[in-house]
Amino acid sequence: MHLIKQHIERDGSGTITLKPEDPEDMWYAYNLIQPTDLLKAQALRRVVTTSATGSTSSTRMHITLLIRVRSTDFDPQASTLHVSGQIAAETPHAKIGQFHTLDLELQRNFTLEKAEGWDSVAREVVKEACESGSKRMGAWAVVMQEGEAAIVGLGGERTVVRARVKVDVPRKKGGRGHDKGLEKFFQTLLDTLLRHVDLEEALPVLLASPGYTAGLFQKFMMETATRTGNKALLAQKGSFLVVHSSSGNVHALNEVLQSPEVQARLKDTRYARETKLMDDFMTSLRKDDGRAWYGPKEVEMAVEKGAVGRGGGVLLISNGLFRAQDVAIRKRWVKLVDKVKDDEGGEVRVLSSEHESGKRLEGLGGIAAILTFPLADLDDDSEEEEKEDVKALDDATNTEPI
């Protein structure tokens, strides 16, 4: 994501103009754009004109529209984002209040104004989105079998299939046709890989397959680099790791990422750090040592007691909670994040709902905490609070007018 322009006042009001340059940027935009925000972008809109004789004609025109956002629709497979809302500024071809859906596109600017101001979480999303590729992309993976492969980017927020390669390879092994088909497949895969991977970033590249396909591809790759004098590729020989997978389908990647060998290689990536945090949390939870709590009420109480601060306190929160339709709910979680980071000095990890660690967290209600000191019976306190809230609500409902 490229930051084109930013104008934010001290009170959080203002606008930011961004240009998506990469499919993953659409995911960041999806996590940034909320209902009631103002969004300005180019749109293709059908315009009806009436001639002097009364006849009508319609044409599709590119115009810039400002809409008040009502909903967003993100397609994770195609990395496309559709934003629906009502037109908030009149143009010669669109009236205020009319409904329109903006389709955000790569290489096209959009300008966003947050209805409730730019809070700390929204600013952090912009910061992460605009980081360089080497910081955002933790590693690459190529999941393959003979004739088919998927090149996958392991980003900080999600795992994205960047390219697919398919070449017919005759099944009969040992024959001339099979060897030539396999060589053509490897060459096509290598050319595609070099178009997507910046070798200067020196990121780990996992080569996964059932059988020997991945190993043979690595051998072909190094032999080709030697023959063609590709010094950049030869210099990154140590970045490639051949691993076994149960199939050549991209869905086998989750299994590959669980192997100790792969986790050791990826230990410095955001993906691995967040996976380890969830593992540490689950270990503490199984021990029942009072240092691991999950659920909104329990975690908020732990923060209030100062147990998620300096010295090892970690707040784990799903980015899905910040996509809440209700502004008050979003503010609740932003306030909690700010309290842990700014007041208590603890660590905050916003986990992506697209990653395995984020999915595990969502199964726990989307929020959990590792405490600096043990606390007991938070769930009992939470139940008591809920009972008091219900009783207060009942009393208010049953009070007779004077």
Side-chain angles (χ1 to χ4, degrees), residues 247-261:
S247 79
N249 191 292
V250 71
H251 297 298
L253 186 57
N254 281 336
E255 160 211 331
V256 170
L257 293 173
Q258 299 306 313
S259 80
E261 185 183 13

Side-chain angles (χ1 to χ4, degrees), residues 20 46 60 71 144 162-163 177 195 218 253 285 292-293 302 337-338 390:
R46 188 169 66 88
R60 298 182 75 82
S71 65
M144 70 185 84
R162 293 304 182 89
R195 281 199 301 271
Q218 185 189 39
L253 186 57
L285 191 64
W293 288 95
V337 166
D338 289 344
V390 171

Side-chain angles (χ1 to χ4, degrees), residues 45-50 56-59 93:
R45 189 169 174 86
R46 188 169 66 88
V47 177
V48 178
T49 56
T50 305
T56 60
S57 62
S58 66
T59 55
H93 307 294

